[in-house]
Amino acid sequence: MTVTEKNMANAIRALAMDAVQAANSGHPGMPMGMADVATVLFSDFLKYDPQAPKWADRDRFVLSAGHGSMLIYSLLHLTGYARPTLEDIKNFRQLSSPCAGHPENFKLEGVETTTGPLGQGFATAVGMAIAERHLNAVFDNDLVDHKTWVIAGDGCLMEGINHEAVGLAGHLGLGRLNVLWDDNGITIDGGTELSTSEDIPARYRASGWHVVSCDGHDFDDIRKALGEAEADPRPSLIACKTVIGYGAPTKQGTSATHGAPLGDEEIAGTRDALGWEHKPFIIPEDILTSWRQLGAKGAAARSDWEGRLNGHAQAAEFTRRMAGELPDGSAMQDYLAGLAKYPPNWATRKSSEVALGAITAALPEMIGGSADLTGSNNTKTPSTTPLTKDDYSGRYIYYGIREFGMAAAMNGMALHGGIIPYGGTFLVFTDYCRGAMRLSAIQNTRAIYVMTHDSIGLGEDGPTHQPIEHVQSLRLMPNMHVFRPADAIETAECWALAIKRADGPSTLALTRQGLPPLRDDVSVNRCEKGAYRLKAAEADKRVVLVATGSEVSLAMDVAAKLEAAGVGADVVSMPCAELFDGQDDAYRSDLLGGSGVLRVSIEAGTTYGWERYTGLDGLRFGIDSFGASAPIDDLFAHFGLTVDAITPQILKKIG
Amino acid sequence: MTVTEKNMANAIRALAMDAVQAANSGHPGMPMGMADVATVLFSDFLKYDPQAPKWADRDRFVLSAGHGSMLIYSLLHLTGYARPTLEDIKNFRQLSSPCAGHPENFKLEGVETTTGPLGQGFATAVGMAIAERHLNAVFDNDLVDHKTWVIAGDGCLMEGINHEAVGLAGHLGLGRLNVLWDDNGITIDGGTELSTSEDIPARYRASGWHVVSCDGHDFDDIRKALGEAEADPRPSLIACKTVIGYGAPTKQGTSATHGAPLGDEEIAGTRDALGWEHKPFIIPEDILTSWRQLGAKGAAARSDWEGRLNGHAQAAEFTRRMAGELPDGSAMQDYLAGLAKYPPNWATRKSSEVALGAITAALPEMIGGSADLTGSNNTKTPSTTPLTKDDYSGRYIYYGIREFGMAAAMNGMALHGGIIPYGGTFLVFTDYCRGAMRLSAIQNTRAIYVMTHDSIGLGEDGPTHQPIEHVQSLRLMPNMHVFRPADAIETAECWALAIKRADGPSTLALTRQGLPPLRDDVSVNRCEKGAYRLKAAEADKRVVLVATGSEVSLAMDVAAKLEAAGVGADVVSMPCAELFDGQDDAYRSDLLGGSGVLRVSIEAGTTYGWERYTGLDGLRFGIDSFGASAPIDDLFAHFGLTVDAITPQILKKIG
């Protein structure tokens, strides 16, 4: 057939509607509406090479409106990526296919980030754009010089996280970030006028963005708009006026095309309307050839770039960082050795700060930050000077009061590569960024959450600020490692484990209050197995106390009182339940004690779930209501978490 | 001393700095900065009567910047509310005092909503303003005609939820909502220029707001601005240019005043600077008298209003609704009786929709909505026509893609009184609104969350949309009741329990997929005890299967296969673990079986925590990884949740 841009775009439309129909599930409207815009982007603007999907200096493309996944699957296939194959696309949304309902970066190399939860792709792209500017500043321009492109829908723009992402990008002046807004006037419930009256361009301008608009079905107009966006030094929003489900004769422009197959009749009508006479999944040779030629255009730039990398003075360091490999060195062990000499009684947030001082000095890839709680989360170190619009080489981001935007940006930096991000807020406000923490876990990103004020131990700020269910609820999240260290040495050990963990996120739950030192041995990272015996019973062992974080020292005090009463008690510190669960039976049962031994858990949070370690016959000390506002000692007494409250209950239980 | 407005405001400043100093903890900066603005608000604009804190037609005042709690405690005391007393204020942030670190509506009558988690007070106030307009539309103007006032800080405005709240308020044209923005240019980390470059007034205007500004220390200018805000038909943002910690000689205008006591020396300097010569907690008689006179001004309006209510045709219904009492009637029982005749095999989201049809017809106080998933959450009924800017009498809100804003608005409606809000999204997106769900639980609000697509059973949308940890993680939240019904009858019963629950929120976890009917008995609400024996063992009882929601029918099939193998098995349906945990020992142990009986749980989510019901010796079937994108049957097979996968493991275990 005649190779026109429209026909090339129609190949996307046909694949999208046919794949959704075959799966009897999916979202054809968005790919059909944005096919023309995407064709221009992949023709003349995006820097990519299907033969080298992980080329470090490629542009990053994020389909924030992830439900339109058939758009990216079509583009990757048409431009010549090894996957998805046509067979993969025919198996859209089946277990066997990498073409999942929503794009999953762990299944397809051409997918930069997993999207679907609205707003997050956009906010993740902000992190990628930060990463690019930072690496550009600390490495040579020859090595890092690319853009970040996003396709976002009304849903992405309406979500609260959009405000945070837009604010951050505008503040940091991320001019290489360009967002193509699929301005189709439709959401699932119907026209956007049902729920919003916003002047979106005005809002973006208010945050320092450049805004341009185009007719999303006019190739020249699209090209002109994208060119203007590229040229402008500010981050750009390109409002692409489109028709959702473009081509579907009776359904286009309506929410009926959004999230359901068009149906055989409508699909036939669409074929007629588009002049697309080919059977499902048949892409005519000349159209495919043209697409492949487009896809091949980037090879030269990639090859040039490789030439520049080869022999570049920064090649080894750049390659190491992009591979996510840690440098050799003994910084952590030296730091631990220092701690062991005079173990301090710091709050674990303070222990974290001091450990971070050593870590960030040794690891230039670490970029820190806080959602406006720098002095409370103790996240800033001498090595991490501010990353600002005027100095992207800095390594500390003042995220502002934007927990969700921060976490998503951290994902973006980790996914970009070359950076290990960490960021802090109060543990209770994981409720504000949980959606992004879950995407860290799904995507296996090395994002490290520094969550301080981890219990009623924060004191007077009261129940709205006191985590009760949070530590446990994060433990429920697959692939999230939750660390709750008990003293300065454990804190450093947990940091070492979090950094070493290349394939998933970690959360450090840290105290506001000071804690006594419990250890002075540092030859082995005892936190590595998730739990260990901190103290063995002296008298005949009848009790095993399992505790975490600030309650380990309490458990030690309880144990001392039990021993004084002739009752032998082990104390097990369990800084990471997930790692402990991964140990073999022998290790776990040795630690938790055999039959006839009473297992007792102590953690200043919900007791729900601790039955896993104590059994039903054990005792669980914790807090199963909301907290209260009072000085710390009053609170621990009020909630019964004291030696005097706990010990008699244990003695009574063992008779 | 001379009674001037400044001196009256200084009384607030003195109480704030002295209370924080006494507690050695708290936030003096904001109350000191906003004291002048608040004085004007409580003098000439706010409609309130300290003698009748629950007067239905009072203006609602929300201190969204809840860390500035000493502002509202001072105002309530000075204007003459029974609590807090001066003694209460002296005990600021102590267990014995209702003056908690952050304002708690369940401790002080003059506090309309619990604040502290930033952004939420503002978004909750949007719900209050919706409630007011709705009740104004369905009741007489004589009964409901008030405003909602908010004090918000930069943190409240930077949070993502602010975008959602501003968008919703602008779209619904909530002209009686006026927000006083404490524009002090300071956040915890330092100047706002560290993290934001936004033109805030421009952003608000872009969403249909009216914006006016004033010098927050010039009483005439404040008065003028508030007057303009009142007069404008749009929601208003009043930018009050203030100095944080106003009066503190060396610290004012800096973040040092934000979250820590000023210290004795700075406090002495402040006394000098303000000309406030009185000792801590001493309010001179003439100043207090003037404040009390201000506080007394509202009594006449309140008395007039009571006069209008007395004998009003709508008095009984209005009073019933504001008291949160349910009407008499048999709608639910009639509906259940109908179901029992021909129990349908609906998805529980569909069962919920049909039940809601009966419920919303019977209960005019129910206002529904969805975060742009109306057709998926099945939240709209014939009785709930749209609530729009042009028709506030509607009972269905198209919240848009604003989960967090929706949940906070639901809290606001519930707290306002007269309304029982319910709202829907996908269960997985509780991660987006968890912060507000927690405030529902803390505040004991009757907000009902309709969370559909509650497991891998949603199929092809894949892991980003499939809850794994969510049901269990909501169970961890104190005071949240999580219902996961198994068929149409259980769904109706759970709805009845959620509505009856006047003192806390409920979450209904509902399926996308159809489920077979399991019951035809409706004489007793069997869900009321949280769990019940759905099927008793026929052969000698050796197994108890405990399941929820969609897995109850699977448990029934497993039980049938076990019985066929000569193994007696009970099936326990557990639609609400929290209610079950509240039953006595006898009931719980009878249901879960004695020693020698194998307890088995089946729930298509994390198994973590199910040890509470199975013990360590039991078996737990569930999913401890993320889901996948595929048709439902393939997924249940892939994750081993089938009769054929489960039954042999049980038989093997019991030998």
Side-chain angles (χ1 to χ4, degrees), chain A residues 93 101-102 118 159-160 164 171 187 189 195 197 199 206 372 374 402-403 432 438 461 469 611-612 629, chain B residues 93 101-102 118 159-160 164 171 187 189 195 197 199 206 372 374 402-403 432 438 461 469 611-612 629:
Chain A
R93 292 184 160 234
H102 293 79
L118 292 179
E159 286 286 2
E164 302 184 12
H171 181 66
T187 70
D189 276 356
S195 58
S197 310
D199 179 348
D372 197 45
T374 295
R402 302 183 180 107
E403 298 82 7
Y432 276 50
R438 192 174 201 255
D461 272 349
E469 68 276 30
E611 293 86 355
R612 169 168 289 198
S629 171
Chain B
R93 292 183 159 232
H102 293 80
L118 292 179
E159 287 285 2
E164 302 185 13
H171 182 66
T187 70
D189 275 357
S195 59
S197 310
D199 178 348
D372 197 45
T374 295
R402 303 183 181 105
E403 297 82 6
Y432 276 51
R438 191 173 203 257
D461 272 348
E469 68 276 29
E611 293 87 354
R612 170 167 290 198
S629 170

Side-chain angles (χ1 to χ4, degrees), chain B residues 194-271:
Chain B
L194 276 178
S195 59
T196 183
S197 310
E198 185 189 342
D199 178 348
I200 289 173
R203 172 166 70 92
Y204 275 70
R205 288 191 189 101
S207 285
W209 282 57
H210 162 246
V211 183
V212 60
S213 63
C214 67
D215 175 343
H217 301 298
D218 175 330
F219 292 93
D220 290 340
D221 205 35
I222 298 166
R223 198 165 264 111
K224 180 161 168 285
L226 267 62
E228 285 176 27
E230 258 197 340
D232 196 278
R234 296 164 292 179
S236 289
L237 179 73
I238 303 131
C240 307
K241 201 79 197 164
T242 63
V243 176
I244 190 170
Y246 180 95
T250 74
K251 295 186 177 177
Q252 71 172 8
T254 76
S255 58
T257 67
H258 168 81
L262 295 181
D264 289 331
E265 194 178 334
E266 186 78 5
I267 286 178
T270 309
R271 284 194 144 72

Side-chain angles (χ1 to χ4, degrees), chain B residues 20 41 176 225 228 240 242 271 410 512 526 601-602 647:
Chain B
V20 170
L41 176 64
R176 284 158 171 267
E228 285 176 27
C240 307
T242 63
R271 284 194 144 72
M410 286 164 60
R512 174 176 188 255
R526 298 187 76 182
S601 68
I602 315 180
T647 314

Side-chain angles (χ1 to χ4, degrees), chain A residues 225-245:
Chain A
L226 267 62
E228 287 177 26
E230 258 197 338
D232 196 278
R234 295 164 292 180
S236 289
L237 179 75
I238 304 131
C240 307
K241 200 79 198 165
T242 63
V243 177
I244 191 170

Side-chain angles (χ1 to χ4, degrees), chain A residues 38-155:
Chain A
T39 298
V40 173
L41 176 64
F42 276 69
S43 301
D44 290 347
F45 292 90
L46 193 74
K47 178 168 79 169
Y48 66 108
D49 180 0
Q51 305 308 311
K54 293 297 174 198
W55 169 24
D57 199 38
R58 70 192 180 279
D59 282 1
R60 302 304 194 268
F61 170 67
V62 172
L63 185 72
S64 188
H67 52 273
S69 56
M70 271 310 303
L71 181 67
I72 189 164
Y73 300 149
S74 303
L75 287 161
L76 296 178
H77 174 67
L78 291 169
T79 55
Y81 283 77
R83 302 289 289 271
T85 63
L86 200 58
E87 203 56 31
D88 292 334
I89 289 177
K90 286 180 186 171
N91 285 310
F92 178 53
R93 292 184 160 234
Q94 310 304 308
L95 260 186
S96 59
S97 174
C99 296
H102 293 79
E104 296 173 354
N105 61 325
F106 48 93
K107 286 208 176 148
L108 277 177
E109 285 199 311
V111 173
E112 300 286 357
T113 174
T114 296
T115 51
L118 292 179
Q120 285 201 64
F122 186 136
T124 302
V126 170
M128 295 178 179
I130 293 171
E132 190 274 341
R133 282 295 84 190
H134 174 74
L135 294 172
N136 173 276
V138 297
F139 289 99
D140 196 295
N141 197 63
D142 274 359
L143 300 183
V144 188
D145 182 23
H146 69 82
K147 299 190 174 63
T148 302
W149 299 87
V150 178
I151 289 183
D154 284 295

Side-chain angles (χ1 to χ4, degrees), chain B residues 242-522:
Chain B
T242 63
V243 176
I244 190 170
Y246 180 95
T250 74
K251 295 186 177 177
Q252 71 172 8
T254 76
S255 58
T257 67
H258 168 81
L262 295 181
D264 289 331
E265 194 178 334
E266 186 78 5
I267 286 178
T270 309
R271 284 194 144 72
D272 287 346
L274 298 177
W276 186 266
E277 61 218 13
H278 320 285
K279 290 211 182 320
F281 304 111
I282 301 298
I283 308 295
E285 199 55 41
D286 47 3
I287 296 284
L288 186 62
T289 301
S290 296
W291 267 113
R292 292 285 155 90
Q293 283 166 352
L294 280 183
K297 274 169 47 175
R302 190 253 302 178
S303 159
D304 287 352
W305 180 86
E306 283 175 349
R308 294 198 296 277
L309 179 68
N310 280 337
H312 195 290
Q314 296 176 319
E317 175 66 359
F318 180 76
T319 305
R320 175 190 77 75
R321 284 186 57 172
M322 291 304 292
E325 287 163 9
L326 299 176
D328 297 332
S330 59
M332 179 54 82
Q333 207 49 46
D334 295 348
Y335 170 69
L336 277 164
L339 274 187
K341 284 186 199 148
Y342 306 100
N345 61 351
W346 296 328
T348 48
R349 63 172 174 156
K350 174 72 178 170
S351 299
S352 170
E353 177 185 359
V354 184
L356 269 174
I359 294 165
T360 55
L363 299 185
E365 55 265 53
M366 293 197 71
I367 291 192
S370 166
D372 197 45
L373 288 168
T374 295
S376 299
N377 303 143
N378 300 52
T379 33
K380 198 163 181 316
T381 71
S383 302
T384 54
T385 56
L387 185 160
T388 68
K389 185 176 180 169
D390 301 317
D391 183 4
Y392 290 118
S393 75
R395 292 170 51 197
Y396 193 82
I397 300 178
Y398 288 105
Y399 284 105
I401 302 104
R402 303 183 181 105
E403 297 82 6
F404 200 3
M406 171 178 76
M410 286 164 60
N411 280 335
M413 285 186 260
L415 289 167
H416 181 281
I419 290 169
I420 300 175
Y422 69 92
T425 183
F426 289 155
L427 179 60
V428 81
F429 297 132
T430 52
D431 283 347
Y432 276 51
C433 55
R434 199 173 161 96
M437 296 176 79
R438 191 173 203 257
L439 275 183
S440 303
I442 288 184
Q443 300 185 87
N444 312 312
T445 62
R446 181 159 47 185
I448 305 175
Y449 295 97
V450 183
M451 298 300 183
T452 71
H453 296 58
D454 72 346
S455 77
I456 57 162
L458 62 86
E460 293 86 348
D461 272 348
T464 56
H465 284 55
Q466 290 163 353
I468 295 292
E469 68 276 29
H470 298 77
V471 168
Q472 197 70 305
S473 79
L474 289 166
R475 288 186 186 128
L476 300 178
M477 192 181 279
N479 202 34
M480 174 64 75
H481 284 189
V482 181
F483 294 96
R484 191 163 187 257
D487 72 356
I489 287 173
E490 276 199 4
T491 304
E493 289 177 341
C494 290
W495 259 114
L497 294 169
I499 289 167
K500 208 172 79 178
R501 187 168 194 236
D503 60 349
S506 300
T507 298
L508 284 90
L510 304 170
T511 67
R512 174 176 188 255
Q513 74 270 27
L515 298 179
L518 298 170
R519 288 198 10 222
D520 58 6
D521 60 303
V522 297

